[in-house]
Amino acid sequence: MIDWDDVRYFLAAARGGSVRAAAKSLGVNHATVLRRIGQLEESLGAQMFERLPSGYRLTAAGDEVLELASQMEASSHQLETRVFGRDQSVRGLLRVTLPPPLATHLLMPDFADFARLHPDVEMDIASSGELANLTNREADVAIRVVYDRKTLPLNLHGLKGPEVFGGVYIAHDRLAAWLSGASEPTRWIVISAHGVPDWASQGEVRVANVPFRVTDAEAQIVAVRQGLGITTLPCFVGDADPLLVRVPGADLHMYGTLWLLTQGETRKTKRVRLFTEFVSERLAAYAPLLEGRSVARA
């Protein structure tokens, strides 16, 4: 009989193009991948890959096996989600994925409240900019900001939350200096290779042509607090920061709408239902902050 675990290693190597890529994606060592692929080849009596200097290339037999193995993988995921969906226990693992700012600046206290209410639920919070694949069970619940609802996969079930707006922010001290007559332009703080947005000149504070670049959102916030310039932030971040204030004359802009997403049978699981209902209520309460209506500061 074919061992499904051997097939998983084959799929990882076929998709990654090398043993090294497969080992990295599966969290195992190089030798384990080679051993598993060897076992599959022995079971099937055929060679799956050509070993080339540039990597691994599928043989004709490997191409046929890849198609069937992908079908096996899909059936395995479907089996898991159906069984998982029948689990009505509040005990067990709950994996949630969401963007880092939502985790660190808004929802972590609520996650802590949920964990205290349900101590037998093992919380796994993945705050990342990467989109987890719910169909492949990479997460049970995804909290995403979606600009266009039509881009949501049709197989996902969604609970719609508030809209998310952003504003342009500056440090209190820097704005005070500008209001007192400081004439030099301020820098626009951007993340990575992003340029200065076209609407950066809408506010009353003059912006220099030379941006100040950082690599992540936390560094961006620290930079604007230090008076290095102005930047765009979600209102739930900027309005809640006592060191920052909105730039006079700059309009709010919409990032998108918050959605709580689940997939198939997974959403029927009791701990998933409890969590999505809990977070949906909390997000509704945060609507004024998310939409930039919680303050009216100049």
Side-chain angles (χ1 to χ4, degrees):
M1 291 182 64
I2 296 174
D3 188 329
W4 164 240
D5 275 344
D6 293 342
V7 177
R8 288 198 306 113
Y9 284 82
F10 162 77
L11 282 172
R15 290 165 177 168
S18 70
V19 170
R20 182 186 300 275
K24 183 178 180 181
S25 68
L26 294 170
V28 298
N29 60 42
H30 187 275
T32 300
V33 177
L34 286 175
R35 177 171 58 82
R36 290 290 196 165
I37 292 175
Q39 289 175 181
L40 180 64
E41 290 179 328
E42 184 177 352
S43 297
L44 295 174
Q47 184 177 339
M48 300 294 102
F49 296 100
E50 293 181 65
R51 280 74 168 175
L52 303 175
S54 58
Y56 273 36
R57 185 171 68 187
L58 287 168
T59 62
D63 277 327
E64 292 182 18
V65 171
L66 177 60
E67 181 179 354
L68 295 173
S70 298
Q71 294 173 11
M72 288 176 64
E73 182 185 47
S75 297
S76 174
H77 288 147
Q78 186 177 21
L79 175 63
E80 288 179 8
T81 55
R82 286 191 178 181
V83 173
F84 184 70
R86 295 181 183 274
D87 179 6
Q88 296 306 303
S89 171
V90 190
R91 180 190 301 272
L93 178 63
L94 178 67
R95 298 166 301 169
V96 182
T97 177
L98 74 167
L102 282 172
T104 56
H105 292 277
L106 188 70
L107 288 175
M108 195 57 72
D110 304 292
F111 295 161
D113 286 345
F114 183 83
R116 282 188 283 267
L117 284 171
H118 305 286
D120 289 331
V121 174
E122 179 185 350
M123 301 285 292
D124 184 343
I125 306 299
S127 53
S128 169
E130 299 294 326
L131 293 182
N133 189 323
L134 299 187
T135 303
N136 289 345
R137 300 266 335 271
E138 293 177 359
D140 303 315
V141 181
I143 304 173
R144 294 180 188 167
V145 179
V146 179
Y147 188 77
D148 184 357
R149 181 178 180 177
K150 294 178 181 178
T151 62
L152 288 175
L154 295 177
N155 66 320
L156 297 186
H157 175 77
L159 282 176
K160 185 179 179 182
E163 294 178 337
V164 181
F165 282 79
V168 184
Y169 293 87
I170 188 171
H172 273 286
D173 293 346
R174 186 64 187 264
L175 180 62
W178 178 81
L179 292 173
S180 66
S183 59
E184 71 277 6
T186 186
R187 288 192 176 198
W188 186 268
I189 302 168
V190 296
I191 297 179
S192 300
H194 296 167
V196 179
D198 295 335
W199 43 264
S201 60
Q202 289 179 358
E204 298 174 14
V205 177
R206 191 158 62 94
V207 180
N209 291 325
V210 180
F212 183 91
R213 288 194 172 88
V214 294
T215 57
D216 61 84
E218 291 306 304
Q220 175 194 24
I221 294 168
V222 173
V224 73
R225 285 174 182 161
Q226 291 295 318
L228 286 171
I230 64 176
T231 197
T232 179
L233 294 170
C235 292
F236 70 84
V237 175
D239 289 343
D241 194 316
L243 299 179
L244 305 182
V245 66
R246 292 183 190 175
V247 170
D251 295 331
L252 298 183
H253 50 281
M254 184 179 174
Y255 287 127
T257 303
L258 271 173
W259 286 85
L260 276 76
L261 303 172
T262 53
Q263 191 274 332
E265 299 291 325
T266 300
R267 67 186 175 89
K268 300 176 184 178
T269 304
K270 189 170 183 178
R271 58 184 175 274
V272 171
R273 287 192 291 106
L274 287 173
F275 179 80
T276 53
E277 291 168 4
F278 179 89
V279 173
S280 180
E281 290 178 2
R282 293 295 176 95
L283 288 175
Y286 290 139
L289 180 62
L290 290 162
E291 296 170 1
R293 298 184 284 109
S294 62
V295 297
R297 293 187 288 176

